[in-house]
């Protein structure tokens, strides 16, 4: 693989590969169906490809091995014609050449925010895989490397190392140390080199998994360089960034920096002085209905406020709920008291937000800024993006993320709607003229959040629900009704963070937390694990990847570890307890 | 007995359908209209016979019977016009099917085939032959390109089930359910045209 | 790409939109399908494009689409267009083999597609008119004279097929005096069941040169309208019929 420094040269290579003579296949695109960033990135790149008349076929996938269903024989065999493949938001952290069994005629291009990138994918000698990895990306990485990654990558690839397993290497090191005493000093020097290499490799992977710049933003930059950017694409970049923000995938600094960049784009593309009203011949002023523009404002951390009412949104949004403990009677009283102190009538707050008294809406920010710090809510407002369209449509990027994620995560088992079908729904909902689809997604998101609150309250208040071990805590969602909402990776992850926040408020020591919940497949349980929020200065990324796999292997039950986050795994229902026990040993 | 009533009902039945779409052939009403014509004819004959028996010149003697016969005649011709209109309008749709969907009867969607009478199927075949013959002589295919070409490429999504491994002009691709494609308009057209007549729809076309 | 917008410019780029949404752009590049005289030299773009076969085909297509009755067949134009389409198809194949930039090839392809569409649509519109008024077309000498030889064969077969269909579906079931396809009954003096095109339909027409039209039939009140070059009028087809045939007026 060649480590590309610039987005444009990545695209140039992709284009060249896709249009090479003799290619019988259109460009095959495989976007992840696990997050909104993937859909945004897909829309941006297809806009660019279409403008260059490059034919493509796109198949949404939800796990590593699904690609074989659609990619055809050219992927693995050597006798077929060349095939060019683009992966969106997956693939970085596993050795693609190995895992996908790439044949000599396949070329895989990867745009993925997952980090760290597997060293073999990064090597200049790997001609099958090309990963988009920019200077900015390296500079902004939260957990900085202080060695030359490219050298390490090439070294690793050439050695043909197939495992980046920390423990096996430690064992090897020990063996070498034992032998060392018998060898001459020359060998010792070589051993030193090998030792250093192994140490660096360990350090590279030790930091766990985390995320780099959102793919949607990266590809928007590409569209900007190529002068093919539009307001629509800019909005998609805003949504991509907000997706990472909502799902706790980046630090505040990175978020602020990215917001400033996007604000510059928003300013320079005429969103500020867009014509919003037209004056007719007789002097009547009319709002221009087709006008659509992006603005940035301070938004409160209240999810789906515009689809909900103020009271419920405050009750259920993780930020406030965990601070005020709104699952308890006491908490609800506190909330009501707070609203009263701010001078908002309770009945007013329970009106659907768009119909709420304008006076109240105007005073909101002022009052919140005044009273919330008392409750420890210091950063209630954050800089965010809004899209204004037509006469009355005003939607925030965060709400879009909630809605679309809920749409993605409403696929059912066999017989019901599949993940690919939901991907199509989510894809449609992202365009301007499908507001009702988006709204149905938002309503679904509200249901999910209520489930989080219900189960969260149960877990916190009922003793013994959250099992606490030395290395981590874990909890299982037993309720079959709420399992329908929580049995999906992102929803379950949100639940984990909710519990983490609630426990922190209780004064408990911070530990990684795992949640288990019945998935759509009968008899299977989904387990996700989180280590901490980058926003709050977590030093390590998510460390569960390898540990999950090993613990699952040892528990001797069926497991599925092919989802796009290594901290997500699906197990047999019966194996969960033994999995947790073995996991403790691995961490 | 009613004057032209069945014919009226027959035409109304046709008009109540969706424009351009075939309903099943209403044999019952059709036969009843024919029956009505027979009745009219019978009555005309008896009135004429009566006049002749009275020694009156049928053409010029404008008496009640004369007018009676005239009324029956007009009712009959009216029914005939209705019958012809019914067959004629359906034939128009049959011709349209040949142009838009395809010239081979058996390739028409089954739910359409079952709405055609045997005679209409013959008519379809004959008309297809006429079109094919013309196109052959000119050496130009006329039943493609029905929509003005705005873009050479089009974006589609597959919603239903289509055979896998479709061969395109220069590329092969896999039309799995829920996949999206950007391809040459001419490659996609046959699938889109077929889609307009099948339910549930297989392809969604156009810009997204 | 608007460079200059003078009236007789060489560089203007104009987009025409037809009633069914087809948008055709007159580009600054050389017309792909050339005029009959192939030496371009520094000829004025306007005059060249107004006589190029594409323009003629466009005009014939527009008129045919808008007119309620069938117009005279432009046989020579059709033959020339066919030939040029084949030529360009071959050229495009060569371009692709020689590795020309796909974007440029797609431009040629688009141009070709549009011309092919025009030709196909022109022929198709005519066939559909024949189908619609098949009995009338073969009865009327004027209409029949406007058909090509192949169209005559087509029309004849259409009539035979439909007549047979009528006979077998309806007429055989009626009494003898009511069995005519074209007449309501034996009593009818003329063929009273033959649909005819409505020549009174209003059409939008634009004049190419100065022309004077009688608004009413001969013998009726004598009212005329004078159309100057470029004037657009919304009038009855019947009135403009003669002028359309002589090329003085176009339908849009």
């Amino acid at each position: 693989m060649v480590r590309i420094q610039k987005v444009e040269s990545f695209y140039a290579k992709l284009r060249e590969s896709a249009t090479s003579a003799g290619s019988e296949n259109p460009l095959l695109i495989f976007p992840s169906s696990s997050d909104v960033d993937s859909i945004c990135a897909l829309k941006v790149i297809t806009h660019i490809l279409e403008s260059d008349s490059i034919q493509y076929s796109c198949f949404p996938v939800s796990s590593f091995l699904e690609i074989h269903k659609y990619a055809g024989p050219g992927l693995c065999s050597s006798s077929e014609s060349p095939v060019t493949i683009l992966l969106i938001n997956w693939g970085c952290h596993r050795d693609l050449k190995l895992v996908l069994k790439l044949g000599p005629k396949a070329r895989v291009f990867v745009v993925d925010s997952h980090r760290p990138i597997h060293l073999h994918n990064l090597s200049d000698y790997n001609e099958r895989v090309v990963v988009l990895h920019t200077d900015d990306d390296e500079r902004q990485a939260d957990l900085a490397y202080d060695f030359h990654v490219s050298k390490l990558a090439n070294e690793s690839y050439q050695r043909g190392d197939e495992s980046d397993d920390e423990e096996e290497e430690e064992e090897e090191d020990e063996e070498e140390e034992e032998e060392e005493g018998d060898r001459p000093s020359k060998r010792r020097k070589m051993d030193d080199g090998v030792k250093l290499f192994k140490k660096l490799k360990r350090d590279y992977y030790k930091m766990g998994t985390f995320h780099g710049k959102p793919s949607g933003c990266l590809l928007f930059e590409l569209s900007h360089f190529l002068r093919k950017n539009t307001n629509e694409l800019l909005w998609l970049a805003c949504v991509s960034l907000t997706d990472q923000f909502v799902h706790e995938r980046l630090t505040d600094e990175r978020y602020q920096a990215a917001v400033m960049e996007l604000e510059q784009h928003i300013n320079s593309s005429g969103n500020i002085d867009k014509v919003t009203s037209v004056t007719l011949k007789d002097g009547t002023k009319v709002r221009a209905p087709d006008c659509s523009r992006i603005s940035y404002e301070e938004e409160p951390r209240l999810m789906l406020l515009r689809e909900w009412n103020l009271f419920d949104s405050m009750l259920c949004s993780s930020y406030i709920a965990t601070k005020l403990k709104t699952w308890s009677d006491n908490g609800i009283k506190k909330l009501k008291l707070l609203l009263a102190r701010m001078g908002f009538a309770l009945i007013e707050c329970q009106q659907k937000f768009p119909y709420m008294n304008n006076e109240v809406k105007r005073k909101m920010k002022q009052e919140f800024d005044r009273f919330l710090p008392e409750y420890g809510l210091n950063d209630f407002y954050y800089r965010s993006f809004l899209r204004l369209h037509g006469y009355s449509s005003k939607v925030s990027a965060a709400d879009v993320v909630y809605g679309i994620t809920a749409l993605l995560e409403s696929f059912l088992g066999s017989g019901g709607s599949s993940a690919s079908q939901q991907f199509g729904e989510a894809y449609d909902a992202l365009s301007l003229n499908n507001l009702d689809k988006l709204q149905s997604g938002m309503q679904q998101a509200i249901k999910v959040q209520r489930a989080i609150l219900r189960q969260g309250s149960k877990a916190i208040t009922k003793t013994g629900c959250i099992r606490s071990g030395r290395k981590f805590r874990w909890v299982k969602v037993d309720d079959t009704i709420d399992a329908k909402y929580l049995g999906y990776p992102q929803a379950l992850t949100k639940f984990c963070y909710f519990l983490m926040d609630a426990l922190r408020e209780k004064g408990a020591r911070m530990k990684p937390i795992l949640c288990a919940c019945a998935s759509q497949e009968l008899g299977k349980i989904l387990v996700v694990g989180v280590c901490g929020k980058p926003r709050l200065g977590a030093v390590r990324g998510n460390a569960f990847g390898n540990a999950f796999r090993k613990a699952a292997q040892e528990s001797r039950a069926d497991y599925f570890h092919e989802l796009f986050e290594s901290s997500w795994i699906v197990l047999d229902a019966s194996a969960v307890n033994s999995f947790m026990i073995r996991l403790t040993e691995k961490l | 007995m009613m004057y032209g009533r069945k014919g009226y009902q027959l035409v109304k039945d046709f008009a109540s359908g969706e424009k351009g779409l075939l309903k099943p052939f209403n044999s019952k009403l059709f036969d009843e209209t024919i029956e009505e014509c027979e009745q009219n004819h019978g009555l005309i004959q008896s009135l004429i016979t009566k006049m002749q028996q009275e020694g009156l010149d049928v053409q010029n003697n404008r008496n009640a019977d004369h007018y009676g016969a005239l009324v029956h005649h007009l009712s009959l011709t009216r029914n005939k016009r209705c019958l012809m209109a019914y067959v004629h309008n359906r034939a128009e749709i049959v011709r349209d099917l040949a142009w838009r969907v395809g010239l081979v009867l058996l390739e028409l969607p089954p739910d359409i085939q079952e709405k055609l009478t045997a005679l209409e199927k013959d008519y379809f075949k004959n008309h297809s032959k006429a079109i094919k013959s013309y196109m052959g002589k000119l050496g130009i295919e006329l039943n493609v390109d029905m929509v003005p070409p705005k873009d050479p490429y089009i974006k589609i999504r597959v919603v239903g089930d289509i055979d896998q491994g479709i061969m395109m002009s220069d590329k092969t691709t896999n039309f799995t359910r829920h996949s999206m494609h950007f391809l040459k308009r001419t490659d996609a057209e046959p699938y889109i045209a077929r889609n307009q007549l099948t339910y549930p729809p297989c392809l969604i076309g156009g810009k997204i | 790409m608007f460079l200059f917008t003078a009236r007789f410019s060489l560089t203007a780029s104009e987009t025409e939109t037809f009633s069914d949404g087809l948008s055709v752009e007159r580009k600054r590049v050389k017309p792909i399908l050339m005029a009959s005289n192939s030496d371009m030299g520094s000829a004025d773009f306007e005059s060249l494009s107004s006589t190029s076969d594409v323009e003629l085909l466009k005009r014939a297509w527009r008129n045919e689409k808008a007119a309620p009755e069938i117009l005279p067949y432009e046989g020579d134009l059709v033959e020339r267009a066919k030939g040029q389409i084949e030529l360009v198809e071959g050229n495009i194949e060569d371009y692709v083999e020689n590795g020309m930039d796909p974007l440029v090839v797609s431009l040629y392809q688009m141009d070709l597609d549009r011309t092919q569409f025009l030709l196909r649509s022109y022929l198709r519109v005519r066939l559909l008119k024949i189908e619609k008024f098949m009995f009338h077309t073969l009865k009327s000498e004027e209409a029949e004279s406007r058909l090509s030889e192949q169209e005559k064969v087509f029309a004849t077969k259409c009539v035979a097929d439909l007549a047979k269909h009528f006979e077998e579906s309806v007429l055989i079931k009626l009494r003898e005096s009511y069995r005519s396809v074209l007449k309501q009954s034996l009593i009818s003096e003329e063929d009273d069941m033959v649909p005819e095109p409505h020549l009174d339909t209003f059409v939008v027409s634009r004049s190419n040169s100065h022309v004077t039209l009688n608004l009413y039939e001969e013998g009726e009140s004598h009212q005329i309208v004078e159309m100057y070059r470029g004037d657009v009028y919304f009038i009855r087809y019947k009135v403009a019929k003669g002028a359309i045939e002589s090329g003085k007026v176009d339908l849009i």
Side-chain angles (χ1 to χ4, degrees), chain B residues 80-81 127 138 142 145, chain C residues 82 120 124 131 180 184:
Chain B
K80 173 180 172 178
R81 289 199 304 277
H127 193 68
L138 243 70
L142 292 186
D145 241 353
Chain C
K82 268 174 71 182
R120 285 184 177 133
R124 195 166 48 224
E131 280 179 11
S180 160
Q184 289 188 68

Side-chain angles (χ1 to χ4, degrees), chain B residues 30 38 41 73 77 80-81 84 87 95 99 119 126-127 137-138 141-142 144-146 150 152, chain C residues 21-22 82 110 117 120 123-124 131 153 157 161 168-170 175 178 180 183-185 193:
Chain B
F30 194 84
E38 263 302 294
H41 189 262
H73 167 78
T77 51
K80 173 180 172 178
R81 289 199 304 277
M84 300 271 288
V87 170
R95 290 197 296 266
W99 276 111
L119 286 173
N126 285 332
H127 193 68
K137 289 201 202 116
L138 243 70
E141 271 185 75
L142 292 186
V144 294
D145 241 353
M146 307 287 252
K150 287 194 178 150
Chain C
L22 170 67
K82 268 174 71 182
M110 256 174 18
F117 170 79
R120 285 184 177 133
L123 293 169
R124 195 166 48 224
E131 280 179 11
V153 170
K157 184 159 191 313
D161 289 337
E168 290 174 358
S169 318
V170 181
R175 289 287 175 151
Y178 297 93
S180 160
K183 294 188 164 69
Q184 289 188 68
S185 71
M193 283 204 314

Side-chain angles (χ1 to χ4, degrees), chain C residues 43 108 156 225:
Chain C
Y108 280 100
T156 314
V225 66

Side-chain angles (χ1 to χ4, degrees), chain A residues 103 182 276 311 339 485 542 552:
Chain A
D182 309 336
T276 48
F311 183 75
L339 288 172
Y485 298 113
N542 194 310

Side-chain angles (χ1 to χ4, degrees), chain B residues 4-196:
Chain B
R5 190 193 202 201
K6 287 294 170 186
Y8 164 75
Q9 284 177 348
L10 186 65
V11 170
K12 227 176 102 167
D13 178 67
F14 180 84
S16 70
E18 233 184 280
K19 190 166 190 280
L21 288 185
L22 269 183
K23 290 169 68 171
F25 191 90
N26 196 332
S27 314
K28 183 168 171 290
L29 263 180
F30 194 84
D31 291 339
E32 284 171 2
T33 312
I34 304 271
E35 178 57 40
E36 225 177 45
C37 292
E38 263 302 294
Q39 288 173 358
N40 281 124
H41 189 262
L43 288 166
I44 294 175
Q45 290 303 98
S46 61
L47 284 170
I48 291 180
T49 313
K50 179 167 177 266
M51 283 182 78
Q52 284 171 341
Q53 280 170 354
E54 288 169 5
L56 296 167
D57 176 18
V58 176
Q59 288 270 20
N60 297 316
N61 218 306
R62 310 270 163 115
N63 66 350
D65 287 339
H66 170 96
Y67 286 112
L70 185 62
V71 167
H72 281 297
H73 167 78
L74 291 174
S75 304
L76 214 173
T77 51
R78 202 191 129 126
N79 267 352
K80 173 180 172 178
R81 289 199 304 277
C82 291
L83 288 163
M84 300 271 288
Y86 187 71
V87 170
H88 181 91
N89 280 298
R90 286 178 65 92
E92 216 170 24
I93 297 179
V94 168
R95 290 197 296 266
D96 183 56
L97 284 173
W99 276 111
R100 278 196 308 121
V101 184
L103 296 171
V104 181
L105 178 67
L106 294 174
E107 281 177 10
L108 287 183
D111 49 314
I112 290 184
Q113 281 191 52
E114 59 190 26
K115 297 195 177 109
L116 299 172
T117 63
L119 286 173
E120 285 174 336
K121 287 181 182 163
D122 281 340
Y123 181 66
F124 179 90
K125 283 190 235 175
N126 285 332
H127 193 68
S128 296
K129 257 192 265 179
I131 295 176
K132 269 187 252 188
S133 166
Y134 178 84
M135 297 199 302
K137 289 201 202 116
L138 243 70
I140 306 178
E141 271 185 75
L142 292 186
N143 56 343
V144 294
D145 241 353
M146 307 287 252
V147 178
K150 287 194 178 150
D151 297 308
Y153 293 100
I154 187 177
K155 196 163 167 176
I156 59 165
R157 189 190 313 162
V158 182
V159 180
D161 287 313
I162 302 187
D163 355 309
Q164 317 269 18
I166 313 289
M167 276 297 281
M168 305 277 177
S169 49
D170 58 344
K171 299 203 194 277
T172 20
T173 194
N174 186 346
F175 270 2
T176 314
R177 220 168 164 199
H178 307 304
S179 56
M180 286 188 264
H181 305 268
F182 179 70
L183 59 165
K184 293 216 184 94
R185 200 180 38 83
T186 40
D187 289 334
E189 246 185 359
Y191 298 97
I192 298 177
R194 245 179 261 159
N195 163 66
Q196 287 166 350

Side-chain angles (χ1 to χ4, degrees), chain C residues 58-77:
Chain C
K58 231 197 284 181
R59 179 178 170 268
W61 173 77
R62 266 197 312 248
N63 284 349
E64 195 70 66
K65 273 205 96 167
E69 62 172 357
I70 201 162
L71 299 177
Y73 183 67
E74 307 256 6
D76 290 337
L77 177 61

Side-chain angles (χ1 to χ4, degrees), chain C residues 34-40 43 48 51-53 84:
Chain C
M34 308 274 276
S36 334
N37 54 326
S38 50
D39 50 4
M40 290 276 289
L48 199 61
T51 56
S52 84
D53 280 341
Q84 285 171 8

